[in-house]
Amino acid sequence: MASLSTSGAPKTIDELKDLLKDDVKVKVAGVDVDGVLRGKYMSKDKFLSAVIGDGFGFCSVIFGWDIHDATYSRELLISNKANGYRDIIAKVDLSTYRRIPWEFNVPFFLVSFLDPDTREPICACPRGTLARAISIAAQHDWDCLAGVEYEYFQFNENPLTVADKKFTRLDPLTPGMHGYSMLRTQLNSEYFNDIFDVAKEFQVEIEGHHTETGPGVYETALAYTSALRMADNAILFKYLVKSVGMKKGVLPSFMAKPWGNLPGCSGHVHVSLKTKDGKNLFAVDEADLKNGRANAQYDDTRWLSQEGEWFLAGILDGLEDVVPMLVPTINGYKRLVGGESFWAPNAVTWGYDSRAASIRLITPPSCPRSATRLEIRVPGADMNPYFALSVIFLLGFRGIEKKLAIPVPPVKELMGDKSKVVKLAMNLEKSTSLFMKEGSVAREILGDDFVDHYGGTREHEVQMWNEAVTNWEGLYLILWSTCMLWRLIIRFLVERYLELV
């Protein structure tokens, strides 16, 4: 089984006390529905008391407001006026221990959030949601494995300068399109290398780190590991990149589509399942390695096991109904609108080693049998990794349980006739409507409480967007008004001319 605990994580209270013997404070944080770390310092004594007492009170308002700390447009389940924005229980996960290298090496732990009455995970706790999906796999003696790749822009800015510029005309770290460049990283070598080195020290392992196409864009692939550890690492990676950037005068952005005319930033997710004897459940038997599996539904799945084929079918079957779990923001859909032109699949598609598809099969002969996996390419860098991984695994388990057939042919067979392609929702309003509809696959796998709460938070985002007046609208209307004025002037001059002649 893949290791969940970090190196040095305490297993007992005595080990914890010994670990903290020279410390006076501890930092803790949990994750809200937007994937934002919400945390604080605690005195060592208070922290130890919380661990011994199996949790401490944490204001539930972090599940009652949005990313800008504005309460939701309508009252939702977890935190509201009716319950007085009461405390929920924050339960410390000792297996997440690490120290923050850029913050005086302070000890740090993640927490999960529990209902104070039932002591069960609240319905929308990101870590609790993923833990529930993992528990389903555990019933079959499977281990959920995952990897995340982030693309992200860097700017020569800081919070004050971007606010002063009203978040426009930002100065990219480097100019031009230079994917996989060996030279561009020399311009900001200390920052580029610190990301990798500090991540190692922070126990967020990196597999690959390079420039991506676009001005000031990096891509970082996090090391494949158990799903919950992966989600933790993914959320903490953003934290460390932004922290390192602040110290170097760089502002990283994981916004899905910062520029309209450039590729957006993806958050690709790789997944597989491992059996208790260490076998990759998605891999074909060694006897099938030469010619592939005889009963494969398609030629593209010959080197994918039957369970892997069912898992793939499950994702494809439910993908339309769960898009807000993969693309949670208004801006995320700007990335999808460009589609294949900007390397952002936006339909119910799949294919062997195909980066044009929403789900890419990575199987032999392009990789070793043990590395067989699926890459889900729909999410942007602004995804909540806990929710993305949860819904991918839950859809896959549903496919295995129901032994679903793959509902569409591989993407290469659809290139000639795209009328058969099922497009995903191209805005948050539509995707949330499908997510929340009665009888949706989302309700089947996530439950009504989760869908109603999380869907309500997305409806709030849509309302905020609908109420906003954008720069584009201002520019368009000014140009339109100017054109109308010139038309009236020209008309007046023509009429006067005709009167004179």
Side-chain angles (χ1 to χ4, degrees):
M1 304 290 276
S3 174
L4 177 62
S5 299
T6 58
S7 175
K11 294 180 175 61
T12 66
I13 295 297
D14 287 340
E15 288 182 5
L16 177 62
K17 289 179 177 178
D18 185 62
L19 189 70
L20 303 179
K21 64 180 184 296
D22 297 323
D23 297 291
V24 297
K25 62 182 181 294
V26 177
K27 199 165 197 180
V28 297
V31 185
D32 69 13
V33 297
D34 291 302
V36 176
L37 282 168
R38 304 281 188 173
K40 61 182 180 180
Y41 277 121
M42 298 176 72
S43 71
K44 180 171 68 174
D45 290 343
K46 173 69 174 178
F47 175 78
L48 289 172
S49 174
V51 174
I52 294 169
D54 206 26
F56 62 94
F58 203 110
C59 183
S60 67
V61 76
I62 64 170
F63 289 95
W65 63 21
D66 64 17
I67 198 169
H68 293 293
D69 295 0
T71 54
Y72 292 125
S73 310
R74 62 182 176 86
E75 299 283 83
L76 298 177
L77 180 65
I78 297 171
S79 184
N80 49 59
K81 291 178 183 177
N83 66 22
Y85 302 100
R86 66 177 182 171
D87 273 0
I88 50 180
I89 302 300
K91 182 176 174 58
V92 178
D93 186 344
L94 295 181
S95 74
T96 65
Y97 161 76
R98 54 203 7 108
R99 289 181 179 269
I100 304 177
W102 61 89
E103 207 163 322
F104 310 106
N105 227 29
V106 65
F108 174 84
F109 295 85
L110 285 167
V111 304
S112 297
F113 296 108
L114 309 180
D115 184 292
D117 297 325
T118 65
R119 309 293 294 192
E120 294 293 325
I122 61 173
C123 66
C125 173
R127 297 189 87 241
T129 302
L130 181 53
R132 184 172 70 83
I134 292 170
S135 71
I136 294 173
Q139 294 170 17
H140 301 275
D141 290 322
W142 299 334
D143 188 17
C144 298
L145 302 180
V148 168
E149 304 167 354
Y150 279 129
E151 297 167 351
Y152 48 106
F153 279 80
Q154 340 287 320
F155 298 99
N156 281 313
E157 305 285 354
N158 61 55
L160 294 177
T161 62
V162 295
D164 185 57
K165 291 181 174 183
K166 302 186 186 305
F167 303 94
T168 61
R169 304 185 309 279
L170 303 187
D171 182 24
L173 191 61
T174 56
M177 311 286 277
H178 296 280
Y180 299 96
S181 172
M182 297 292 285
L183 289 175
R184 286 284 150 165
T185 57
Q186 306 307 312
L187 295 174
N188 304 278
S189 179
E190 188 172 333
Y191 168 65
F192 181 79
N193 282 280
D194 272 0
I195 292 173
F196 197 108
D197 298 340
V198 172
K200 176 75 172 178
E201 197 174 351
F202 195 42
Q203 298 199 54
V204 175
E205 297 289 340
I206 290 175
E207 280 187 356
H209 185 50
H210 60 88
T211 64
E212 185 51 280
T213 186
V217 183
Y218 294 164
E219 178 174 356
T220 306
L222 304 182
Y224 212 64
T225 185
S226 62
L228 186 56
R229 175 70 185 273
M230 183 71 262
D232 289 345
N233 286 356
I235 215 77
L236 292 174
F237 177 74
K238 290 184 178 182
Y239 173 50
L240 80 87
V241 170
K242 292 175 182 179
S243 298
V244 170
M246 283 183 183
K247 292 183 177 294
K248 302 294 181 182
V250 177
L251 185 72
S253 169
F254 291 84
M255 186 176 177
K257 188 73 170 177
W259 307 104
N261 61 340
L262 293 172
C265 295
S266 70
H268 297 158
V269 175
H270 295 245
V271 297
S272 62
L273 293 169
K274 185 188 290 186
T275 63
K276 64 179 179 180
D277 58 359
K279 177 190 173 186
N280 185 333
L281 187 68
F282 292 173
V284 294
D285 294 332
E286 192 166 355
D288 293 326
L289 195 55
K290 182 177 180 181
N291 298 313
R293 185 166 53 88
N295 62 338
Q297 186 177 346
Y298 289 98
D299 188 62
D300 276 24
T301 58
R302 281 189 300 150
W303 281 275
L304 184 68
S305 71
Q306 179 62 77
E307 291 84 357
E309 194 172 270
W310 289 330
F311 191 98
L312 167 63
I315 299 175
L316 292 167
D317 183 71
L319 187 58
E320 284 184 277
D321 283 5
V322 301
V323 175
M325 297 286 279
L326 306 175
V327 188
T329 68
I330 292 290
N331 178 258
Y333 294 83
K334 307 288 186 181
R335 169 179 166 269
L336 293 186
V337 166
E340 296 172 14
S341 301
F342 290 110
W343 301 94
N346 56 15
V348 182
T349 54
W350 65 280
Y352 166 72
D353 205 10
S354 175
R355 287 182 171 86
S358 291
I359 304 176
R360 173 186 171 216
L361 272 64
I362 305 174
T363 70
S366 68
C367 74
R369 185 167 62 101
S370 60
T372 301
R373 62 196 187 277
L374 305 182
E375 179 189 17
I376 292 76
R377 296 176 58 79
V378 175
D382 57 356
M383 68 166 177
N384 183 327
Y386 299 96
F387 287 164
L389 286 171
S390 296
V391 80
I392 289 166
F393 281 110
L394 288 171
L395 286 177
F397 299 155
R398 177 176 177 268
I400 293 175
E401 180 185 356
K402 294 177 179 288
K403 299 184 178 180
L404 295 177
I406 297 173
V408 292
V411 68
K412 65 185 180 184
E413 296 183 19
L414 298 173
M415 292 300 186
D417 183 8
K418 294 192 176 182
S419 65
K420 297 180 180 178
V421 174
V422 178
K423 296 293 287 291
L424 300 176
M426 286 294 99
N427 60 69
L428 184 59
E429 185 169 14
K430 176 63 175 176
S431 70
T432 301
S433 175
L434 293 172
F435 180 74
M436 297 186 72
K437 72 181 179 183
E438 186 177 351
S440 71
V441 175
R443 290 191 180 277
E444 180 184 340
I445 63 174
L446 293 163
D448 288 334
D449 283 351
F450 179 93
V451 170
D452 290 339
H453 182 91
Y454 182 66
T457 71
R458 297 312 92 189
E459 288 178 330
H460 169 82
E461 295 290 322
V462 171
Q463 181 173 328
M464 294 298 100
W465 169 248
N466 288 340
E467 292 175 356
V469 177
T470 66
N471 291 344
W472 182 89
E473 292 167 285
L475 176 62
Y476 180 84
L477 288 173
I478 289 171
L479 289 173
W480 180 83
S481 300
T482 303
C483 289
M484 289 299 295
L485 177 61
W486 275 108
R487 286 179 67 183
L488 291 172
I489 293 172
I490 292 170
R491 181 179 177 181
F492 171 77
L493 292 174
V494 169
E495 289 175 350
R496 292 291 296 159
Y497 173 75
L498 292 175
E499 288 176 5
L500 292 173
V501 297

